[in-house]
Every structure is written in C-alpha cells, then in structure tokens.
Amino acid sequence: MTRPLGVAVVGFGWMGHAHTRAYLRVRHQYPDLPIVPHLVTVADPEPGRAEAAAAQYGFATAATDWRDVLADPRVEAVSVTAPNFLHREIGAAVAESGRHLWIEKPVGLTGDDARRVAGAATTAGVRSTVGFNYRAAPAVAEARALIAGGAIGRVTNARFRFFSDYAAHPDGALSWRFTRSHGGSGVLGDLASHAVDLARHLLGDIEALVADTTTVIPSRPTVTGAASHFSRADGPPGPVENEDHVHALLRFAGGARGVLEASRVAVGEQNTYGFEVHGTTGALAWDFRRMGELSVSTGADYQSQSYRTVFAGPGQGDFGAFQPGAGIAMSYDDTKVIEAAGFLRSIADDTPYGPTLDDAVAAAVVLDAMLDSVRTGAWVSL
Amino acid sequence: MTRPLGVAVVGFGWMGHAHTRAYLRVRHQYPDLPIVPHLVTVADPEPGRAEAAAAQYGFATAATDWRDVLADPRVEAVSVTAPNFLHREIGAAVAESGRHLWIEKPVGLTGDDARRVAGAATTAGVRSTVGFNYRAAPAVAEARALIAGGAIGRVTNARFRFFSDYAAHPDGALSWRFTRSHGGSGVLGDLASHAVDLARHLLGDIEALVADTTTVIPSRPTVTGAASHFSRADGPPGPVENEDHVHALLRFAGGARGVLEASRVAVGEQNTYGFEVHGTTGALAWDFRRMGELSVSTGADYQSQSYRTVFAGPGQGDFGAFQPGAGIAMSYDDTKVIEAAGFLRSIADDTPYGPTLDDAVAAAVVLDAMLDSVRTGAWVSL
Amino acid sequence: MTRPLGVAVVGFGWMGHAHTRAYLRVRHQYPDLPIVPHLVTVADPEPGRAEAAAAQYGFATAATDWRDVLADPRVEAVSVTAPNFLHREIGAAVAESGRHLWIEKPVGLTGDDARRVAGAATTAGVRSTVGFNYRAAPAVAEARALIAGGAIGRVTNARFRFFSDYAAHPDGALSWRFTRSHGGSGVLGDLASHAVDLARHLLGDIEALVADTTTVIPSRPTVTGAASHFSRADGPPGPVENEDHVHALLRFAGGARGVLEASRVAVGEQNTYGFEVHGTTGALAWDFRRMGELSVSTGADYQSQSYRTVFAGPGQGDFGAFQPGAGIAMSYDDTKVIEAAGFLRSIADDTPYGPTLDDAVAAAVVLDAMLDSVRTGAWVSL
Amino acid sequence: MTRPLGVAVVGFGWMGHAHTRAYLRVRHQYPDLPIVPHLVTVADPEPGRAEAAAAQYGFATAATDWRDVLADPRVEAVSVTAPNFLHREIGAAVAESGRHLWIEKPVGLTGDDARRVAGAATTAGVRSTVGFNYRAAPAVAEARALIAGGAIGRVTNARFRFFSDYAAHPDGALSWRFTRSHGGSGVLGDLASHAVDLARHLLGDIEALVADTTTVIPSRPTVTGAASHFSRADGPPGPVENEDHVHALLRFAGGARGVLEASRVAVGEQNTYGFEVHGTTGALAWDFRRMGELSVSTGADYQSQSYRTVFAGPGQGDFGAFQPGAGIAMSYDDTKVIEAAGFLRSIADDTPYGPTLDDAVAAAVVLDAMLDSVRTGAWVSL
C-alpha cells in the first residue's frame, strides 16, 4: 500500500535539520501518504557534520561531497539545503540525475539561477518542491481560501512584510552572507523571496513594481577562519556588498496594489513576517509570530467592520493532521512537515503540489525586477 | 495678567465644533495661558447653522457670509474650518485682514493654494497654526522626543499609514468630496496630508519619492439636493474624480527610507492612523486608535529586543494639562485643545509654535510630488 | 427653553476639577439639555485652592468652609468631591439643605455612611448622582445593552478587576489614605467600589460572596507637614491600617458566578480596570485603558467562537454626543460630562438617571460584606 | 553510549498519539540523551485502534488489553494515556510491575487515586513523570526562572486560568466525561489540575483555599452506542453529574494570594490557559494561545512600569532544542517531547526530573480541598 522512497539531504545547517525531521515525522502526521521516506544519506562539507547528522537522525551513510549523494543509487529524492549560492549547481545536478528535488528558497542568487534549475527539472521530468513554507501555515491556507472564495470581495491593496533583526548588530561578522558572490542580493533572496511568494500565492501575478533598497550597515568586522554569519567579530571592517533592506510598490495583474518590505536589520523584530490584505468587502491579516491566528474582517455591514481573531483549527489548511482543536499551537517545523507531505504526494501523483520551481522562478524574476528598478529609478513591468 | 482675544470660526462642520470647544476649554486646561479667547462670531453658509452654533457655544453673533466675520473689528483671530476648496480664498483674506489664522488641513487643494495663504500670512505678519493635530497626542510628542534624543539610534526606515473606511461603501453619495474641483486630490489632502506631516515632524524633510494612486470605487450614486458626503444615495452613477488610495516610497534627507499609505476605502479600518519608526538601536510604533499608547523597543542588547507598551502620562507632551496619571484616556478633542493652546501662545509670544502654514506648504508640496510621480511614473525629487 | 442651575463644588482635588470641567462642557456636548449649570461657588480648606479654582474656571465666589456653600442661596446643586471620610457629613448636609447632590464614590467609608447620605436625600426629595463614571463609557453601555438584549445568552460567570499601581512603591508617604479613620477600607472603597458597581450594573444583584484581603506593604514612611498621598517620603515607618488588595468570589442573584479583584499596589498596572463576562452563547470584555474598545464574541456557532474588537461609535451609549465616528478617542473627562448630563437630566425630569445613592448604598453593602467575610472566614449572604 | 528503552503506550486517544510522537522525536531533538526509546507495544480496548497505531508509528505489537503490555518482558516503561478513571488501576499495576511510568493528568479521579499510584511507584522504586506539560513551555520555564531569581520581587498575588469551550454546546453528548464515576470532578481534574500544577510550580505550596463550582449545563442529550464526548447528540436528556466551572481563592504558603479559575463551557475561549503573577517589583503574564510569548514588567522604576512582549528563544527553557531563534513557533507536541526527554533523563539518572507523581498527588489534594470547600462553604487548610 505504501512504497518507500530513498531520500538524501545535502547541506546540514538549520534547514538540513528541518527537512530531515520532516521526513522522519511525515508518515506519523499523514498516515495515509502512499510514499514513506527513508533516510539514505546526508552530505555536508564541514568535517564531521554529516556523520553527526547520520548519528542523530539515522541516515544510512554520510558524505562530505554532495556528488557522492548523486552517485548513490538508493537515493530517489534529494533535499537541497546547502547555502544559496550552491543551489544552482546542486539543484540542476540533482534534477539531471533524475532525482526529485525539494530545494530551499531562494533557488540560487538570481532569476537565471532559478530558471536553470527549473529547466533541468522540467527536462528530467522530476517533481520539485521549494521551501516557501509560510504557505503551509493553516492560517495562511485559510486566508487564501477566504480570498479565493470572495469573502473579502475584490482585493484592492495589500502589504507584505518580512522583518528580522538577525543582522541588526553592527558587530555581526562579515560572513559570506554579506557578499554579492555568495549572499546574492542579501535580504531580497533571504526574506523578500518569501514575501513575494506569499504575495503571489494570495493575490496572483505581479505585473509591475518600483523598488528601493539600502545597506544600512555598510561595513562589518571581518573574521579569521570560519565564522558563523550570526556571531560577532572584531576584525578590521570590510564592506557589506548587498542589501539590508528593500521596499517596493506593487501592481498586481488583478488590479490590486501592494507594498512589500523586507529587512534583516530591523531592531525589535525577531520574525515579523506577515501580510495584510484589504478587499472591497473585508480584510485579513496574519503575522508569523502568532502563526495560528488570522485576523478577519468580514460581514454584512462592511463599513465600520471590526476584526476578529480566529485561531486556526481542524478544517483550516492541514491543521487537522497535527492537532485536534483550534488554538493548540503548531510549530515552524510542522510547516516543513506539511511541505514534505506535499513533496511526497507530488511524487506519488506525478503532479505538482504546493510551491514548485516555477514559483521559485516567478519569485526570483520579481526580485530581479526590484534590483532593476533600483538601478533605473523607474517602474519595471513584469 | 491675561488678555482677551476675540475669535471667530468660519465653517461649522465637525471641525468648527472642535475648534470652538477647544477655545472654550483651553483656559481651563492651561490656566497659565496669557491669552484667553472670547467667542465673537461664527459663519456658515448653511441656513441656521451659524445661529445654532452661536446658541450652543455662546458666540456673540452669527453670519452666513464669512466676509462678515472679517468686517467685525472685535475679531482678532479666525479659525478656518470651511471645506478645503475654500481655504485658499478665506485663508488669504483672513491673513490679509491682519487676523491670526488657525486653519484646518489641507490648506487648499494644492501646494500653490497653501503657498498663497502662507505668503499672505507672512506679508501680514500674523501667526498661523494648521490643524495637524496628531502631533499633539502626548504619545506622538514622546515618540518625537525619543527619536530626537537618540533613543532609537539613527533612523533607518519608517512607515506612516492613514487608513479609514469613510468612503468604503460603494453606495456612499457622490458628494463634492469626490470631485477634483472641490475635493482636490481626495485621500491625499484628506488623510495623506496628516501622514506627511507626521513623517516630517518625526523624521525631517523628504527629499524624494515615488507614488502610486488608485480610485477603487470609480463611480458613485448621485444625489439630488444637499447630501452629506457620508450618507448613502441611490441616484444614477457619476464618476469619482479623485484618489481613494495612495501609497509611496520615501527617501528622507536624513537618509531614512519610508513607506506612506493612505486610504479612504479601507474596509475594517475606522481610524487606523499611525506610524512605525525603526532606528539602528530601537524602534517605535503608534496607532491613533490607541492614542495613549506608544510601543517602544530600546535597550542595551538591541538584537532580540522586545517592544513594551507605554501608556502616556504626565511629562509626556502636554498630557499633564489633562490628566493626573498614566493610562487615563485623553480624547481627540483634547488634541485640538493642545493645538489651540499652541495657537494662543504663538500669538502671545509672536513666535511660531506647533504646526504652521510653513508646514502646510511643505506637506502640500509632498502631495503634489506624489501626483507628479503618478503622472510621470518616476521618482520625484523635492 | 433652558433654565440655569446654580452649582457649587466642595473639595478641589482631581475630582473637583473633573466635575467643574464637566459642568462647563455639558451644554456644549448636550445642546438639548433643559438645564444649564452656572458655577456659583467652590470650597476647599487648603488656603488659596478655592480661589485658584474660581480664577481658573469662573466660579463667582470661593470659600474655605463647605458650610459657606450651603449658606449661599444661589446654590441649587452641589458636587461633593472632598476626601471620602467627609462624604457622610457633607453629603447629608447638602441633601438636608435641599440641594441636589452629585457625590463621588465611595459615599463615605462604610455602608452606614452611604445609607446616612442616601436617607437624607430621600427625605429631602433631592436628586443624586454618584461618580461611578465607568458606566458612562460607551463601550460599557454597549456591553450592558448586549447583555440585556441576550446577545451572549444567560450570563454564567464574570470577572471584574480594578488594578492600579498608585501605592505600589514602598516609599510612598503614609498619608491619610492609609489610615482606617480617613482612608476607610483602602482599596475597597477606592477601587473595588467601582468594580462592584460595574458588576451590579451589568449582572444585577450580588447575593453572596467570600473575600480575602491583604496589606502588601504593611508600613510606610511618615511625613512631616502636609504631604500628597502619592509623593515619596523618608520619615520613620508607620503602620498601614487598611487594605492594599482584595479579591472575592461572587454569586449573583441571577445565577452567575464572578471573581472580583482590586489592588492599589499592582506593579505594571496603571489603570487596569475592566471586566469580562461569559454567557451561554457569547462573551464580552472591556479594559479602561482601551476605553473605546469592546471585545465581543457572539455568533451562530458558539463553540469555537472568536472575539472581535469593536471600536465604540455613534449609537453606542452617549458616544454620539462627543465624536462623529467609531474609533475616535473619548477621554476620561468625557465620562464625567456624561455623568453631569445624567445628573442635570435627573433634576429636570425629577427622576433617577444613572448611578444614584441607592447604587452607592448597594455597593457599600457589598464592600462591608467583604470585610465581614474576611473577619469570619466564611461566605456572607447579602 | 546510548541504551535502548522498550516503551509501551496504553490508551490511544489524542494523548496516546502525543506520547508516541514524543518518543519518536525525542532523540532527534535531544541527541545527547543517554536513553533512546523503542516502541514495543500499544494497547487500546477499541477494536482496531491499537493495530492502527502500530501501523502508523511502528510499534512491534498491538493489544486490546493493557495487561498484555505488562506481560511483555521487553517493556521497560509505560505511558498511561487511558481515560482518567482507569489511571488508578493501570498506573499502580505498571509501577508494581517495575516499569517506569509516564502518566497523564489527572492521575485518577481523586487524591486517593493519585496517592495509590504514587505509593506503588515509590515502593517499586520506579521513575514517574506526569503530563503537566505546560511547565515545559519555554516561556513558562522563563517565568519560573524570573520569579525564582527575584526579578519581580516578592510574589504578592496571581491568577491562574484554564478556560475551554469544549463542552460549551448544550447539544454535546452526555458521554462518560460528564459522569461522576468516570469523569470524576469534571473540569477540576481535566483543566483545573493543570492550573493547580502551574500555581505550585511557579509559586510553591497552597496552604488554604475557598472554592465554588457550578454545573452550567445541567443536562445533556444521551446517545446510543459509543459516542465521542465532543460530538453532538439528540437523545433524551440525562443529568450532568460533575462540574463545568470552578473558581477559588488561594493562599500560598509563601504569603501570596491567588485566584484560580477553570471552565469547560467558556464560550469564546478555545484554549485560554494562562497565568498572571504580580510581585512587589514586577509582573509576568502568559497565555498558552500565544505559547512563545511572555509579558514581562520589570525595571528600575517599578511604579508606572510597562509590560514588554518577549518572544521565547534559545536559552529560555528547552527552546534551544527545537528552534534556532526567538519568535520561531514551537508546538503543543514539542512540550510533550520536552516531557519525554525529562522522563528518559529521570530514568537514566535515577532521579526525579520535571513533574512527578508527587506533584500529581499535591495537585489532586488541592482539587479535593476545592470540593471540600464547596461542601462546607468555608476555607479549607491544606
């Protein structure tokens, strides 16, 4: 009734853990899944890390070189959770080797990178899922369902915001994350990509935008040796090459207008990720920090409407696979389990499910357009 | 020790009431004021309205024509609370007649209008105050003091939002408010003007912007006879000529970036007027609906900072003139009393105090630039 | 059409100001009132204070002895805003002199005191209003209307809380407020009286209770000379004789159960005054710090209901006498204007309106029962 | 380095799933645990349910009779997640068989039941953990650490509330949950037990209390055949035998006073589980619905203090075992993983860790005292 699927994980930072835990949990939360993942192998170039992962989670083997993963015939699907600048090369190779691909966002550093990987997947005929996990939160699923069902009328305007303080301290080390070659466009790929995906997921295609960016902390202390990009350093200062903050005005194909903002240096904001959508007869708002809550304004008298706070529960998105009653907390990791379930189901049914490489390309194109807009100082059509 | 000042009010809608009540209360809240206003006369073209105002509040006389107000030698200062499209003519005439001028925002429909009135005031050497009353909220005064004092470091980005649902219903009558000739640029003058003033008040000059506008409800039912612009109608549809919604990206002279939004058709938002300001070491947020609260994030470890909710109290802005302890509610009308006190003090000291016609001009120039940006599809420098 | 009413104010602390301002504003907010108050005289024993009040607000005369007020034939109604321990003597004398009486809560220090004043008023046939002003908040009026109209079904349980930090600092001076003879039962009269009144106002009579009290800060520094009860002192410690904190379980005659709490030493709580009421089909909550907001949970599916935040607006309580649209802030002082309007209307119509001395007696009886319960360690029936 | 531990689960409702998932995840979240659980067997009397559990989670065998579990020599530890009325018999038998015991709360229906199980565990020398999982929330752990460290001074008063609407609908079936013999004291064991445990965990022993209870919905429709206690029914009405609502005043041995409330019929409240603790220099509040947030009021000037919202992060409780940064959501299930880790660690170290049967006894004694207080109408000393 179920068939096993050999899976591998490439890159073992936070997301490597998250994907692995999702593989381990997915059949416990979704007992009806026709495919059950088995942990075959894991790769990470940092000495000892892959072995530790194997010991912790039960991968059969471990490697330092991701190419060894592709050489293993037991591997049928691969999670690519390596640093973003490696996504193009690894992602394309995974697809070309005929493996299904669960890849973290952003898929590479540019739209071209994303297209390269997406093209490889299409050519190879493999399934893909991209780690736009905020879609998976039941309250977000409910927001999408409400919008699609007309509960707030025609969407008129919206705001999407992803603010974090992870790089807010000026003594934070000048890691690869702050270089153009390895960290790409900084906050755009890291956080704005999520905002763009949610915008598209809820409101559809963006047809034009104008953007502005800033590098709030232009130089940071360098480090000697390997340093975490979150640790503090005190070496001589070196230049930050990419963006700390981006904001943009959006025009959606459906007529709505929007504002999108993302920052990695927003003091006071640990994970202020969310949106607010207004329509002609109602409104919605969501904030990841209160992941299970959706603020909803709908009703007969849509002038003087109030917002109500709805706690997600069974029947909203995939909530029912996790908890029996509204208001019982789900976790960030649960969103990755939902993502894993979608990935496996897409393989089982050979049909796209959830966010795919096409979505990654679409988001990357929007981010590229933001950079274009900054360069030209003008609106850019998509 | 105190001297009386003969005051008049021109135009008796909501703001006429608010100014009059402020004149009546100001010496009770500010017993040390050297000038005490006396209600001389009131004018409104609608039959009976000025008389009713005189009866309710104790004006000595009433008139239908504002020119009669200027003919009255007892009048030393005039509140202009007539519809916006009359501000230019009346405002300039008041100043030219040598009366001090407390005028509601926006001062006319364009920057040119505001400049005309400001020029007249300068030439005449009279004092002016403009009704940018949100500045007067003690929590806003505290926000400004915190920013100026460096409590949040260098300001990096900010958001200003004025959302209302007063025109959200499509059956709302096509009143003068929706015409270009009388309602000007719609939500820009009505609500965005406040947002611009707060942005300037807290962060200083705006040096460039790009904006977008929409008319969400393009036609509305016409009415026969005089109709309130808030009542519903069912006549044949006529075109809405001005803006329902505006949003813009801002660049401040001091280096900060900002987003400004205003809407008169935002379902779910009765008076969602507020701001959020981020700096390199802290952040602040305020929402008019909870006028006495300021969210503040400051501290030694400015990564992982939390927000605290501070209730305004004595020592913050003019709070102490109204209530004895933190957390005791002040009202919208209290902000107009603060404004009145500033107006009278500026006359007593012959020095500007609070928002003046120069601020009105500055705000109007920003609004004009937003319209320019919409026309050109490009950034506009100021 | 309107007739003047000569009013006097006895005692000129915060509440003296608040009553006076209310008298001055009431006809401006309620132009249809048949009675218009005129400020005749003011009395306060502290040298110069009454004169200052007269200068600030326009009383015709000033006195140090409250008996002079009653000797003035122009006085037709009196506000008693003196310290609580004087309420019995002054209140009864006012009533016996045939003047209508607007008296602050608590009416004296005990139920006996309140009965004494109420009896005098009944005998004299004068009208009374008691300063239970939280009833006047439009959101509270709306809560009462919703409950009375069955919107939340049969009330099952409720919580009433009045927490303040005004005496939270142990260095706060040992003023009269902390003595049994002058400060009565401390937090019971000062804050719990409001909670009891709201409980009765919303849910009806209390039929039994059990209570517990504590004096959290048992001694405070004494002061030499006159000291504000809110200022800090450093004299030798003296004993606090009355209650800092009280809480009680309540049984209402209608079957509902309740919890009531009050504290004057609650760190973190400036004016945490509010209630929460649950019924068989819905629930309500209100907090004075957000005076214009009512949290409401009602709906067809009363399992899994959510709360919505309703901003008070025209049509809810007396809101329309103050502001034109929902969400525009009213002030604490506005609640006293509403109270004044009720007082004047009760005189005009010779019929009770709003909280009266009967309510004061009822509340005082409940407070006495709380003290009884503490003494006996048992439930007390009312 | 690690040793395996054979575990079994008895009873497979929601808590059976939660324990099992926790066993499966615990070594992934806590890689340093010296003991790794292996799923040996599962028992549930409902036909097919144990088999389904075995298939979903990988138990080696399945049974309908819990006695079979104890007959299996591979079983070294047992989770007792059967209905509460079976806890006494099963729990004692598990302990007497020499197995370590992870048992859900309440441990039986009375203090006597809890004592019976605790006595058996002590005699047998086995380790026990009781499912008071709210202790495990990192924000709660932080609250306890702050209180213990003196951050809010001496605790003066507190509130503990557990409100749910699971039985709010009067058409909910009259299941075993509403009988005295099987459902015990209703909301007391089900929800108030958690509140009592949190109260003891944060503030220490309760030395006296007075309580009141109500059965809000006195009769419910009966069902034919097996019915979920959450489903609706339409049979003839039968009597609800136990408590829907309880509230109590508490006196703690340390001098603090408290209020405790629990309801299973609170419309509008899905999982309103939380507390608020005031001390002489600060205050804390927590609500399970926002599990990762702690409201904290501390500071130099503890009069006029404000609350700040702190998002739990690494370093607070066991957060770091789950997520890398503050504000990233943890789940209800994560609290059970923390509980499992404590259980296993207590076995490894042969020392109590986290909530034990002694805590279950202590909580049950408090609940018994509440019922005593209701019977006697008086305070009960503990």
Side-chain angles (χ1 to χ4, degrees), chain A residues 159 161 261 269 276 307, chain B residues 159 261 269 276 307:
Chain A
R159 272 146 299 289
R161 170 144 70 145
E261 297 184 272
E269 316 296 337
E276 189 187 289
Y307 280 90
Chain B
R159 271 146 301 290
E261 296 183 273
E269 317 294 337
E276 188 187 289
Y307 280 90

Side-chain angles (χ1 to χ4, degrees), chain A residues 152-157 277-284 302, chain B residues 168 216 265-268:
Chain A
I152 63 168
R154 175 171 53 89
V155 174
T156 55
N157 68 83
V277 180
H278 281 85
T280 50
T281 64
L284 297 169
Y302 52 88
Chain B
V216 170
V265 295
V267 173

Side-chain angles (χ1 to χ4, degrees), chain C residues 46-114:
Chain C
E46 189 169 314
R49 198 187 251 182
E51 284 74 14
Q56 182 173 356
Y57 295 111
F59 290 94
T61 61
T64 50
D65 190 335
W66 59 267
R67 291 166 194 85
D68 292 348
V69 166
L70 299 193
D72 189 327
R74 298 168 301 174
V75 173
E76 298 169 89
V78 177
S79 276
V80 178
T81 50
N84 305 340
F85 68 90
L86 298 171
H87 284 185
R88 179 189 178 114
E89 181 182 11
I90 302 176
V94 166
E96 286 165 356
S97 80
R99 270 68 170 229
H100 304 292
L101 178 62
W102 182 13
I103 187 166
E104 273 306 314
K105 44 56 58 184
V107 178
L109 306 183
T110 63
D112 191 61
D113 286 355

Side-chain angles (χ1 to χ4, degrees), chain C residues 125-177:
Chain C
V126 298
R127 289 288 135 220
S128 68
T129 293
V130 175
F132 290 127
N133 62 300
Y134 298 106
R135 289 187 181 197
V140 175
E142 176 71 5
R144 189 171 193 248
L146 287 170
I147 293 169
I152 63 168
R154 175 171 53 89
V155 174
T156 55
N157 68 84
R159 273 146 300 289
F160 300 89
R161 171 145 68 145
F162 273 66
F163 270 17
S164 170
D165 65 354
Y166 73 73
H169 204 292
D171 294 345
L174 186 69
S175 72
W176 62 262
R177 193 171 279 269

Side-chain angles (χ1 to χ4, degrees), chain C residues 1-91:
Chain C
M1 215 157 130
T2 64
R3 73 171 176 88
L5 182 84
V7 300
V9 176
V10 172
F12 223 80
W14 176 29
M15 279 301 115
H17 285 273
H19 280 227
T20 304
R21 291 171 180 167
Y23 284 131
L24 286 164
R25 293 177 55 205
V26 68
R27 75 183 179 106
H28 303 138
Q29 308 291 157
Y30 293 87
D32 295 333
L33 269 187
I35 288 182
V36 173
H38 287 260
L39 303 182
V40 173
T41 189
V42 54
D44 192 283
E46 189 169 314
R49 198 187 251 182
E51 284 74 14
Q56 182 173 356
Y57 295 111
F59 290 94
T61 61
T64 50
D65 190 335
W66 59 267
R67 291 166 194 85
D68 292 348
V69 166
L70 299 193
D72 189 327
R74 298 168 301 174
V75 173
E76 298 169 89
V78 177
S79 276
V80 178
T81 50
N84 305 340
F85 68 90
L86 298 171
H87 284 185
R88 179 189 178 114
E89 181 182 11
I90 302 176

